[in-house]
Amino acid sequence: MIPHHCNKWARNLMRACMGAGLLMGAVPPRAHAAPATQSVWCSITEANSRRLFISDPSHLPTTSRMTVFSYSGRFARTVNMRYGLHYVLVGNYCLAFPTPRRAAIAHADMIAHLADQNFQIVTVGIF
């Protein structure tokens, strides 16, 4: 036989556990947030030769401005080396978008706009 004071203690413990269980059940489980990402593409317009150097939209794993800025420098370095140009490496040549769809629309609009002005579109591959 369990002493009376132990029985009261067990009932209080059971009530506390049940209360905590109900409380935990009321709180929805934390959904794992998808990591922040962004879509980026870069371009340099050379008005003298009427050329547009443009990259395809790329998916970057972070939304940091430094990441986009670094990507911009890589793009300028690639254009300089491949085409013998001299653009500064610290320029802002890339545009970042929250979704791949928005990036693709802006990318297509830029190409269409400059193609209408008789610019030669030069797609820069991997850089």
Side-chain angles (χ1 to χ4, degrees):
M1 178 127 214
I2 301 173
H4 187 273
H5 67 279
C6 289
N7 198 13
K8 187 176 179 182
W9 178 83
R11 276 194 308 246
N12 288 339
L13 179 63
M14 193 165 160
R15 284 184 191 142
C17 289
M18 287 176 59
L22 289 173
L23 208 104
M24 292 302 288
V27 176
R30 280 186 70 170
H32 293 290
T37 60
Q38 62 187 351
S39 292
V40 175
W41 55 267
C42 307
S43 67
I44 294 176
T45 305
E46 189 177 45
N48 294 338
S49 66
R50 301 189 66 79
R51 292 187 291 182
L52 168 67
F53 299 96
I54 193 163
S55 71
D56 290 329
S58 297
H59 189 71
L60 293 181
T62 63
T63 58
S64 162
R65 284 181 149 171
M66 284 303 295
T67 303
V68 175
F69 193 70
S70 172
Y71 204 67
S72 184
R74 284 178 41 201
F75 179 75
R77 187 177 309 113
T78 301
V79 169
N80 287 344
M81 288 179 5
R82 287 186 190 165
Y83 303 101
L85 301 173
H86 302 286
Y87 286 97
V88 295
L89 302 181
V90 293
N92 188 16
Y93 305 112
C94 295
L95 297 172
F97 299 87
T99 65
R101 183 176 184 273
R102 286 187 184 175
I105 290 169
H107 185 263
D109 286 347
M110 171 81 123
I111 290 172
H113 178 71
L114 289 177
D116 286 344
Q117 296 178 11
N118 295 325
F119 272 72
Q120 177 188 4
I121 309 302
V122 181
T123 303
V124 178
I126 299 171
F127 61 94

